[in-house]
Every structure is written in structure tokens, then in C-alpha cells.
């Protein structure tokens, strides 16, 4: 029964060519062809069940979104969630600005051309708490260099976690590769849930448990870095 269930899931996903991408490497440099437009592309690396990226796609139809994870079950759940959101809130049977990708961030440079992305979301990534696993953390400098290459002149990284140790590690990593940071928060929802930000499933659970959420934004692209520097100078 379990094997038949997995086979049925895979077959269902393979039929959803409008939404599911199993071979992202074939779209490197050509994601505008998949979306059939030249709008900005935002990606969530490690989307989980897809609530975050699906909600953003509904809220911002003029931006293209990619949710990436490695497991068919998560792709299936995200697909169901995205289609339900679009049906309920926009009365649409299709999800025109979202791709759900089976992929590993380890190979990001094989999926995206230099400057092809505008924003990368890292939400509640595995903290890999053992020091010997530090290179597996998605905010390790080796990953940050991959992100820098894929992001365009206004590119940004938005990072959230419930792990203080991962957040401290990440602050050092961003600094080590000389990335400018802004909007650093040690308790994002301390004064109430931020209505301008979309919650992930994990985030909603952690808020209910009273756990602080740590967040930062890193400005990557030359244009947004210059805008950030001017804004800081004006405030001094």
C-alpha cells in the first residue's frame, strides 16, 4: 500500500507540468520561459509544506515565486495548498506565478544563471547544531557565495529562525563574506504578529509556544547596497 501510494503521488505530480518542476537544471537561464514573463523571481529554499511561498504568490501576482524542497510529499502538500489559496482568494483554477521545484540548494548554481533571482528566503532551516556539521547550514559562507552569484543588482536574502545558535552563526557568516545587514530582530513578533510578513507553519507554532523569532535581511546586489548606504548616511 505504501509503495502504491508513493507511485500514485509521483504520477500526480508529474501531471502538474504547470506547477511542478522535477528537472530545474534544464531551466537555468530560462525561468522567464517557464513563467512566460520577465517579472522578478523570489525563491524559498526549503519550503516545507508550502504555506509561506503559496501565500506570497497569492498576495503578489506580479512577482514570480519558486518553492524548493527535496521531497515529493512536500511538493504534493505545497501543490494542494497553492491551488486552494488561488481558488479561494482569486477564483483561479491555475497558479500562474509559482513553480514548486524538487531540488537541493547544494546545486543552486546549476539551476539558476548569474543574476536570475531577486530574493532568497531562508525560513527555519535545519540548524545542524553539531559544530562538525557547520558546512551544512544554509547560512554557511559557502552557501552565501552561491546566493550572491544567483542574485541580481537588487538582490536580497531574508532569513528567519527560532534557533538562537543558528542566528548567531549566521550573523557571523554574513559578516565574514562582507554582506550588509538590516532590519535585524531578536524577537520579531514581540509587539504583536507582523501583519506585513507571511508566517510559515513552523513560525505559527513557535509563536504559539511563546518562542522568539529571529530575523534579518541581507542586501546583496550593488544597487540595493548603495540605496542602503545612502539611507544609513541620511539617518546619521
Amino acid at each position: 500500500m505504501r509503495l502504491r501510494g508513493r507511485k500514485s503521488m509521483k504520477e500526480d505530480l508529474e501531471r502538474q507540468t504547470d506547477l511542478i518542476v522535477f528537472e530545474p537544471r534544464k531551466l537555468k537561464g530560462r525561468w522567464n520561459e517557464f513563467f512566460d514573463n520577465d517579472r522578478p523571481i523570489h525563491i524559498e529554499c526549503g519550503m516545507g509544506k508550502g504555506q509561506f511561498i503559496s501565500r506570497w504568490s497569492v498576495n503578489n501576482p506580479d512577482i514570480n515565486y519558486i518553492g524548493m524542497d527535496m521531497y515529493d510529499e512536500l511538493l504534493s502538500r505545497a501543490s494542494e495548498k497553492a491551488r486552494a489559496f488561488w481558488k479561494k482568494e482569486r477564483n483561479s483554477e491555475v497558479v500562474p506565478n509559482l513553480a514548486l521545484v524538487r531540488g537541493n540548494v547544494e546545486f543552486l548554481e546549476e539551476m539558476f544563471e548569474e543574476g536570475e533571482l531577486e530574493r532568497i528566503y531562508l525560513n527555519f532551516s535545519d540548524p545542524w547544531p553539531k559544530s562538525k556539521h557547520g558546512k551544512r547550514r544554509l547560512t554557511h559562507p559557502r552557501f552565501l557565495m552561491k546566493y550572491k552569484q544567483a542574485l541580481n543588482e537588487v538582490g536580497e536574502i531574508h532569513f528567519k529562525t527560532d534557533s538562537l545558535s543558528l542566528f548567531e552563526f549566521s550573523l557571523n557568516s554574513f559578516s565574514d563574506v562582507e554582506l550588509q545587514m538590516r532590519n535585524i530582530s531578536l524577537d520579531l513578533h514581540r509587539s504583536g504578529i507582523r501583519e506585513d510578513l507571511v508566517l510559515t507553519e513552523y513560525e505559527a507554532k513557535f509563536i504559539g509556544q511563546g518562542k522568539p523569532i529571529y530575523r534579518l535581511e541581507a542586501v546583496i546586489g550593488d544597487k540595493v547596497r548603495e540605496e542602503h548606504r545612502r539611507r544609513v548616511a541620511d539617518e546619521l
Side-chain angles (χ1 to χ4, degrees):
M1 291 294 290
R2 188 177 182 185
L3 289 176
R4 285 203 297 272
R6 288 180 177 176
K7 182 178 179 181
S8 176
M9 179 190 300
K10 178 73 178 300
E11 291 173 345
D12 177 63
L13 291 173
E14 289 175 341
R15 286 192 291 268
Q16 299 184 57
T17 55
D18 63 321
L19 186 58
I20 308 296
V21 177
F22 282 113
E23 298 182 86
R25 289 175 175 84
K26 292 184 177 180
L27 289 171
K28 179 179 179 179
R30 300 191 300 110
W31 284 94
N32 62 316
E33 296 179 18
F34 177 87
F35 291 112
D36 197 27
N37 60 61
D38 292 317
R39 294 169 182 163
I41 300 175
H42 296 186
I43 182 172
E44 182 183 14
C45 296
M47 67 172 176
K49 298 176 184 177
Q51 175 172 298
F52 177 88
I53 205 69
S54 297
R55 171 57 64 188
W56 272 126
S57 78
V58 171
N59 290 355
N60 299 294
D62 291 333
I63 295 175
N64 297 323
Y65 291 92
I66 296 174
M68 185 167 68
D69 222 300
M70 296 188 295
Y71 305 105
D72 287 353
E73 182 177 353
L74 294 177
L75 290 176
S76 180
R77 292 192 179 195
S79 169
E80 293 172 359
K81 196 156 293 186
R83 294 189 188 281
F85 280 164
W86 273 83
K87 177 63 176 177
K88 178 181 178 181
E89 301 194 19
R90 294 192 177 271
N91 196 30
S92 174
E93 298 292 340
V94 299
V95 182
N97 66 333
L98 177 62
L100 301 177
V101 173
R102 187 173 69 184
N104 188 333
V105 67
E106 188 79 45
F107 308 107
L108 194 76
E109 70 275 14
E110 298 178 19
M111 306 176 201
F112 300 100
E113 194 61 77
E114 183 175 346
E116 197 164 14
L117 301 175
E118 183 177 275
R119 184 175 298 173
I120 293 174
Y121 292 103
L122 303 173
N123 293 319
F124 302 95
S125 309
D126 191 330
W128 292 104
K130 294 183 179 179
S131 58
K132 67 179 180 179
H133 293 151
K135 288 188 176 181
R136 299 184 183 183
R137 297 167 190 157
L138 295 190
T139 52
H140 187 278
R142 74 186 188 92
F143 284 111
L144 297 182
M145 298 309 293
K146 294 175 185 285
Y147 307 149
K148 285 182 67 175
Q149 181 177 334
L151 288 164
N152 63 21
E153 61 181 4
V154 294
E156 302 177 358
I157 298 171
H158 291 196
F159 169 63
K160 284 194 290 190
T161 182
D162 65 305
S163 169
L164 178 57
S165 62
L166 178 60
F167 194 69
E168 291 173 340
F169 171 88
S170 303
L171 288 171
N172 286 319
S173 291
F174 284 113
S175 179
D176 287 344
V177 297
E178 300 181 341
L179 296 183
Q180 296 181 17
M181 291 170 278
R182 68 184 183 198
N183 297 329
I184 298 173
S185 176
L186 301 179
D187 193 352
L188 181 62
H189 305 289
R190 178 174 53 193
S191 300
I193 294 177
R194 287 276 300 273
E195 298 295 338
D196 59 318
L197 300 175
V198 172
L199 303 185
T200 73
E201 291 94 342
Y202 280 123
E203 189 171 6
K205 181 178 74 172
F206 293 146
I207 292 171
Q209 295 172 349
K211 297 180 67 174
I213 304 300
Y214 309 96
R215 183 180 184 272
L216 66 80
E217 299 170 5
V219 291
I220 308 299
D222 291 341
K223 186 174 181 180
V224 72
R225 283 165 63 92
E226 181 58 33
E227 290 175 354
H228 177 63
R229 282 194 290 266
R230 285 200 301 266
R231 186 159 45 247
V232 171
D234 290 343
E235 293 173 353
L236 294 178

